[in-house]
Amino acid sequence: MTTDADQAIWLAGLIARSIASIELSPGLTIEVEDDPKQWIQVIIESDDITQNVNGYILNYPYRQHSIEPLEKLTETGLIPPPDTRIDAWEAGGFARLWIRPDVPLVGLAHFAIDILKKIIGADDSAELTVRIEYGF
């Protein structure tokens, strides 16, 4: 059985690998293996000139929720990394959170997994699949 810590370390490695090709505007789509309606994306924002990471966007479905996303995180006991802010959201639609660029990647991965489980509703034992995509 894979633990959350194992999944977070694995996911952090994939994020780091994506950063290595930052000039291609990478992002990761993380899905529950048996339920593609349960997903979250980690999109790497970069500066076009220096190719430095400017932050991370967590994009995810927000279909069953109508309150502001940061309030929902607090309601479920999740504590976002410092300075996390809402990039965009639509009640009953989607949420996009901006995470600052100096967040440790394992912490970012844990936070994404926590959102997948506590906000989106993935089962604690869900197997995850990840696609690294380009052009975000």
Side-chain angles (χ1 to χ4, degrees):
M1 182 171 150
T2 305
T3 67
D4 281 356
D6 293 334
Q7 284 183 330
I9 291 167
W10 167 70
L11 184 55
L14 294 175
I15 295 168
R17 187 167 54 177
S18 297
I19 292 170
S21 59
I22 200 165
E23 71 281 358
L24 301 174
S25 301
L28 295 89
T29 299
I30 305 144
E31 289 181 347
V32 171
E33 191 169 288
D34 297 328
D35 189 353
K37 290 184 279 185
Q38 295 183 329
W39 55 270
I40 188 167
Q41 291 176 315
V42 178
I43 301 166
I44 301 161
E45 286 192 326
S46 67
D47 179 281
D48 290 336
I49 296 169
T50 64
Q51 299 297 304
N52 291 326
V53 175
N54 283 347
Y56 302 94
I57 296 289
L58 297 182
N59 181 45
Y60 53 96
Y62 205 61
R63 294 180 194 104
Q64 287 80 32
H65 308 293
S66 59
I67 65 171
E68 184 264 341
L70 292 177
E71 186 178 331
K72 183 65 179 173
L73 291 174
T74 302
E75 182 182 279
T76 60
L78 293 178
I79 300 170
D83 302 323
T84 296
R85 65 179 183 253
I86 297 169
D87 183 64
W89 77 288
E90 179 181 297
F94 70 95
R96 287 174 51 103
L97 302 177
W98 179 86
I99 311 293
R100 65 192 226 189
D102 62 344
V103 69
L105 295 182
V106 172
L108 176 64
H110 267 292
F111 187 55
I113 292 167
D114 285 346
I115 289 173
L116 193 59
K117 292 179 178 181
K118 294 186 178 187
I119 304 294
I120 300 168
D123 188 78
D124 284 341
S125 63
E127 290 295 320
L128 304 179
T129 60
V130 177
R131 285 188 323 274
I132 299 173
E133 303 167 300
Y134 302 95
F136 281 94

